[in-house]
Amino acid sequence: MGRKILYVEDNPLNMRLVRKILQNAGYKMLEAMDGLSGVEMAQNERPDLILMDINLPDIDGLAATLRIKSTPTLAHIPIIALTANTMHGDRERFMEAGCDGYIPKPIAKNELLTMVSNFLPTESYRPAAV
Ligand code: MN
């Protein structure tokens, strides 16, 4: 069974690139194009992992991450920030918001796949149903 990965991203080109990479690697990809849709989709679909763009048209990726991480049934889902904002201190901001990892844009296929497999829980790990 393919793992479900939610990508929250407003840029269609990045969405298409990541879709291609993840689907070729056998993952099932869910897509949301703004922060609130991303939070709602996380609640409805319970993905195994979330890739989070930071600059989004409504609430930003950090606010969306905070909402997901403060929801008890979702808090265990790993969230990886994807952004071109690589200014000093950004990585710390992402981690403080609850992101578990960070990938700088432009997105490199091998880096993305390595990061995703590192953060996906192993098959035997299943959080207890609430
Ligand atoms: Mn964006």
Side-chain angles (χ1 to χ4, degrees):
M1 189 189 77
R3 304 301 198 80
K4 276 196 292 191
I5 299 176
L6 168 62
Y7 187 22
V8 186
E9 170 66 76
D10 62 322
N11 180 320
L13 295 177
N14 286 332
M15 191 68 97
R16 193 172 69 178
L17 172 66
V18 168
R19 183 190 304 132
K20 191 175 164 194
I21 293 171
L22 293 181
Q23 288 182 347
N24 284 345
Y27 297 111
K28 181 180 180 201
M29 186 169 150
L30 305 168
E31 305 178 13
M33 296 199 70
D34 61 53
L36 291 173
S37 308
V39 173
E40 191 182 333
M41 196 169 281
Q43 286 166 339
N44 294 338
E45 298 282 345
R46 307 290 175 87
D48 297 290
L49 182 142
I50 298 170
L51 301 172
M52 183 70 77
D53 180 30
I54 297 300
N55 297 311
L56 293 166
D58 52 352
I59 61 170
D60 71 15
L62 296 182
T65 295
L66 279 169
R67 289 191 190 204
I68 292 166
K69 288 293 185 179
S70 61
T71 302
T73 51
L74 305 178
H76 65 278
I77 301 173
I79 299 182
I80 300 172
L82 270 77
T83 182
N85 296 345
T86 49
M87 287 169 53
H88 184 70
D90 276 349
R91 190 187 156 81
E92 288 70 24
R93 280 199 309 128
F94 303 155
M95 297 305 157
E96 277 169 25
C99 294
D100 300 281
Y102 160 69
I103 301 175
K105 290 178 181 174
I107 298 158
K109 178 185 167 186
N110 288 343
E111 187 176 18
L112 175 66
L113 289 176
T114 300
M115 192 71 129
V116 163
S117 66
N118 283 347
F119 276 97
L120 273 177
T122 58
E123 273 303 335
S124 59
Y125 173 72
R126 283 279 178 259
V130 175

